[in-house]
Amino acid sequence: MLNQLFPNVVWENLWLATYETVYMTVIAAAITFILGIILGLFLYLTAKGNPWENRFFYTLVGAFVNIFRSIPFIILIILLIPFTRAIVGSMFGPSAALPALIIGAAPFYARMVEIALREVDKGVVEASQAMGSSNLHIIFKVLLPESMPALISGITVTTVALIGYTAMAGTIGAGGLGTLAYQEGFQRTNTDVMIMATVAILAIVFLFQLIGDFLVNRSDKR
């Protein structure tokens, strides 16, 4: 039945492309989560009125974040080709897409982290400081736990954006469903291949959104 409805779809290729898209998304999201929290914490802590207040470093890191989150992703991939070749050895394949995915998503998520940390009740932070808590204790026992629902919600939004980025990366040979839709669908005018690639991408988006919503609800103590 499926072969009659989608005669040009090679199902083995579809499953492989789906795996490659999930691989790129999971690895990039995991590293983005870590880097984004580090950058976001640094932005929050060095901002005016916070423990590590430092206008120079806040401006420097803020400029880095603003620049890289403003560059269109398809242009960022091209700009990073020499860097990608240097660390991966190739500009083709799922692993070659990871540097651009991470560099494109981490600054975007870092701003979400900064906003989430700013929404933590100042009274809770001040109470911890009054009890003699160290900055590290405040970070790991107050700021991050209190902002966790917002942090998870932010990485969920970022992960969905990353899935779209993988599709764009696929048009220049990164693999995954983007490559399948472009090379076997668009270039060969196989509409059924493009439809199935789109359905697979939507299924991945819904799956990650469901997981994110579940984790947000579990972490929300209100």
Side-chain angles (χ1 to χ4, degrees):
M1 182 65 177
L2 286 176
N3 289 333
Q4 293 177 341
L5 289 172
F6 306 100
N8 298 302
V9 176
V10 179
W11 298 101
E12 291 81 3
N13 292 346
L14 179 65
W15 298 130
L16 176 60
T18 301
Y19 165 78
E20 290 176 343
T21 295
V22 172
Y23 163 80
M24 287 187 282
T25 302
V26 170
I27 299 298
I31 299 175
T32 293
F33 182 72
I34 296 169
L35 292 179
I37 285 180
I38 293 171
L39 287 171
L41 274 169
F42 194 85
L43 286 169
Y44 172 81
L45 292 169
T46 58
K48 185 177 180 180
N50 289 333
W52 299 347
E53 180 180 342
N54 188 306
R55 185 174 180 180
F56 173 78
F57 284 111
Y58 178 82
T59 302
L60 185 67
V61 176
F64 169 81
V65 166
N66 289 337
I67 289 170
F68 279 96
R69 76 190 184 108
S70 301
I71 300 173
F73 183 71
I74 194 68
I75 296 176
L76 183 63
I77 296 175
I78 296 169
L79 289 175
L80 290 175
I81 285 176
F83 175 72
T84 301
R85 280 178 173 162
I87 64 172
V88 180
S90 172
M91 60 172 286
F92 300 108
S95 294
L98 292 176
L101 290 171
I102 294 164
I103 293 172
F108 174 77
Y109 181 56
R111 282 298 184 190
M112 291 187 172
V113 172
E114 183 189 11
I115 292 169
L117 294 172
R118 284 180 177 177
E119 292 176 352
V120 174
D121 188 350
K122 288 283 187 181
V124 178
V125 177
E126 290 170 357
S128 296
Q129 290 173 329
M131 289 188 292
S133 297
S134 65
N135 288 334
L136 285 178
H137 184 274
I138 292 171
I139 290 171
F140 290 104
K141 297 297 183 180
V142 179
L143 290 174
L144 292 180
E146 289 292 325
S147 62
M148 192 53 65
L151 296 179
I152 296 174
S153 179
I155 196 60
T156 301
V157 172
T158 306
T159 301
V160 171
L162 276 169
I163 296 169
Y165 289 170
T166 67
M168 283 188 277
T171 62
I172 60 170
L177 291 163
T179 295
L180 182 74
Y182 181 68
Q183 293 183 354
E184 296 188 25
F186 175 74
Q187 289 187 328
R188 300 180 184 180
T189 62
N190 292 328
T191 304
D192 54 341
V193 175
M194 289 190 288
I195 290 173
M196 286 308 302
T198 302
V199 169
I201 289 174
L202 289 174
I204 295 171
V205 168
F206 289 141
L207 175 62
F208 279 103
Q209 188 65 58
L210 283 173
I211 294 171
D213 291 343
F214 172 77
L215 292 175
V216 168
N217 292 331
R218 287 293 300 271
S219 64
D220 195 343
K221 300 175 182 177
R222 291 174 296 178

